[in-house]
Amino acid sequence: MSSALQIDSTCLRTLQNDASHKLTRRSIEAFYTILENNSENRAMLNRLDVPFLNSEETLIIPGENAAQISRFSNVPLYPLFANGELGLNDPVHRQLLSTFIQSVLPKARTSGEYCAFIAPGNDPHSPLNRLTAQLISLQGFTPFATTITLAAGLSALPAAARFSGYVVYLGHSHSEIGLVHQSRVVARHSVPFGCEWMDEQLAHAWKLFKTDGAGNQLPDSKQAKQKRLSPQISLSPYLSHHSVVTSWYESLLDSLLDEFASQLAAIQTYIATLERLPVACLGDLAQTAGFNELLSQNLVNHKISFNQNEVNLVPDEQSVITRGTLVVAAMEEEAATRAA
């Protein structure tokens, strides 16, 4: 049985394929809230059948129950990953990550089964990835770190093109672009900017703020996102004037494409042998109207050769990425079996 674990800034998802080829999906939201450890709160949580963790003088409620308890008790809701990062020096955060993984990834039926995984951030060799690999190993699996570029490429690029093309992912806490050729990543570049960063910049630009419990003014990213996705906003380069949204998108695309174009230039002899390949776009920021046209223009400006008739927005991105991650696990497991 092969397994896939995708961890993003807001949710953990698994997809498992058993011996009879039955797929099982599980997920848990990557949030938690904290209550004072007293008999009243304990009684309430037990009455509601809400699981919790003990930490000194506090009770920690993880997952989907956290949002409800946060609203009911008027206490803050915390993300496990802030800006795509886990507080690795915080034992509570490490314990929460372990709890989340155990809740969606049951023990392996056979020791050594492969589990491909993707963790937040843009570095597959980060300390977070190493910790995640250790926690997956404790569940009895052989962990294998992969990337969104490869997972999305295997799942979203057409088989007719031999799973070859460009993957552009604009996610919550990071973005990346990669060239996949025949199920292999040839070039890839990522940056620590995503919709979390974008909507914060737009909130400042549009002067959209909210007040927290302490009376401090904070950028209202949620309201900025709603405005960014409204029908009045378009990124199309064919409009008579560009909006402030377009300017921030171009800044993000420049940070992605400058280095990526340099990588392609270094292997230009190889690139010249390829046909014009399709482009698969994923992520929250790719949902804004006119994104495909803006991306195409920027690819042309950076002299990246691609099929301009096949720049496609991939729906249900999370299912696509998780499914591709499962394909990676199956490929690695098969390769290990053949080698043995």
Side-chain angles (χ1 to χ4, degrees):
M1 182 174 74
S2 51
S3 301
L5 169 63
Q6 183 199 355
I7 307 175
D8 64 30
S9 296
T10 60
C11 189
L12 282 75
R13 302 174 182 84
T14 57
L15 184 62
Q16 294 184 294
N17 184 19
D18 63 19
S20 60
H21 304 293
K22 178 183 177 181
L23 293 176
T24 303
R25 298 178 185 270
R26 298 179 182 87
S27 65
I28 186 170
E29 295 178 357
F31 294 94
Y32 67 97
T33 193
I34 299 173
L35 294 177
E36 183 182 349
N37 188 355
N38 57 42
S39 57
E40 182 180 332
N41 285 332
R42 281 177 171 273
M44 176 192 69
L45 295 175
N46 288 326
R47 187 169 61 252
L48 297 173
D49 197 25
V50 172
F52 57 88
L53 304 174
N54 288 305
S55 177
E56 296 181 349
E57 299 179 354
T58 61
L59 306 175
I60 302 174
I61 300 91
E64 57 274 2
N65 295 306
Q68 298 175 351
I69 297 298
S70 172
R71 289 193 298 270
F72 180 77
S73 300
N74 194 29
V75 292
L77 181 67
Y78 301 102
L80 180 60
F81 301 97
N83 299 315
E85 297 290 338
L86 181 76
L88 291 172
N89 294 327
D90 186 335
V92 172
H93 281 180
R94 294 169 68 94
Q95 180 61 45
L96 278 170
L97 179 61
S98 176
T99 299
F100 282 132
I101 289 177
Q102 290 176 30
S103 70
V104 294
L105 186 67
K107 290 278 189 180
R109 294 184 181 180
T110 304
S111 180
E113 293 176 6
Y114 271 73
C115 178
F117 71 93
I118 297 172
N122 55 358
D123 180 7
H125 305 292
S126 67
L128 173 57
N129 273 44
R130 291 197 294 271
L131 173 60
T132 302
Q134 292 169 356
L135 295 174
I136 291 172
S137 296
L138 290 174
Q139 293 298 94
F141 293 91
T142 298
F144 183 83
T146 188
T147 63
I148 288 175
T149 291
L150 180 58
L154 292 173
S155 189
L157 293 173
R162 298 184 178 182
F163 302 104
S164 299
Y166 296 95
V167 172
V168 178
Y169 172 74
L170 305 182
H172 185 79
S173 59
H174 93 285
S175 301
E176 62 185 77
I177 181 172
L179 169 60
V180 180
H181 185 227
Q182 297 182 0
S183 305
R184 183 171 65 91
V185 177
V186 175
R188 175 179 172 269
H189 179 59
S190 61
V191 294
F193 307 112
C195 67
E196 193 173 45
W197 167 83
M198 173 75 73
D199 292 333
E200 183 175 341
Q201 308 312 310
L202 292 175
H204 282 289
W206 286 326
K207 295 181 171 38
L208 301 175
F209 296 97
K210 61 183 179 181
T211 304
D212 64 11
N216 301 313
Q217 272 202 331
L218 303 173
D220 192 339
S221 299
K222 184 177 180 180
Q223 191 175 347
K225 176 180 179 178
Q226 292 173 346
K227 186 173 180 179
R228 170 172 60 81
L229 294 174
S230 67
Q232 291 77 28
I233 299 294
S234 177
L235 304 174
S236 175
Y238 307 115
L239 298 176
S240 57
H241 65 281
H242 285 186
S243 66
V244 65
V245 185
T246 306
S247 298
W248 282 111
Y249 266 84
E250 288 182 332
S251 176
L252 174 56
L253 289 175
D254 279 343
S255 69
L256 264 181
L257 298 179
D258 285 348
E259 172 62 26
F260 185 66
S262 297
Q263 290 184 24
L264 297 186
I267 54 172
Q268 187 55 44
T269 304
Y270 175 80
I271 298 297
T273 66
L274 305 181
E275 299 178 357
R276 292 184 180 271
L277 297 172
V279 181
C281 310
L282 308 90
D284 178 271
L285 292 178
Q287 308 293 327
T288 305
F291 173 75
N292 285 18
E293 291 124 356
L294 182 67
L295 174 63
S296 295
Q297 184 190 66
N298 278 266
L299 289 172
V300 170
N301 291 345
H302 285 81
K303 297 181 172 54
I304 296 175
S305 178
F306 66 103
N307 188 336
Q308 297 189 38
N309 295 319
E310 288 193 62
V311 180
N312 303 311
L313 179 65
V314 177
D316 195 12
E317 68 188 77
Q318 300 303 341
S319 294
V320 166
I321 294 170
T322 309
R323 187 166 66 247
T325 307
L326 184 63
V327 173
V328 172
M331 290 170 60
E332 289 301 317
E333 195 157 21
E334 182 179 351
T337 301
R338 284 202 304 266

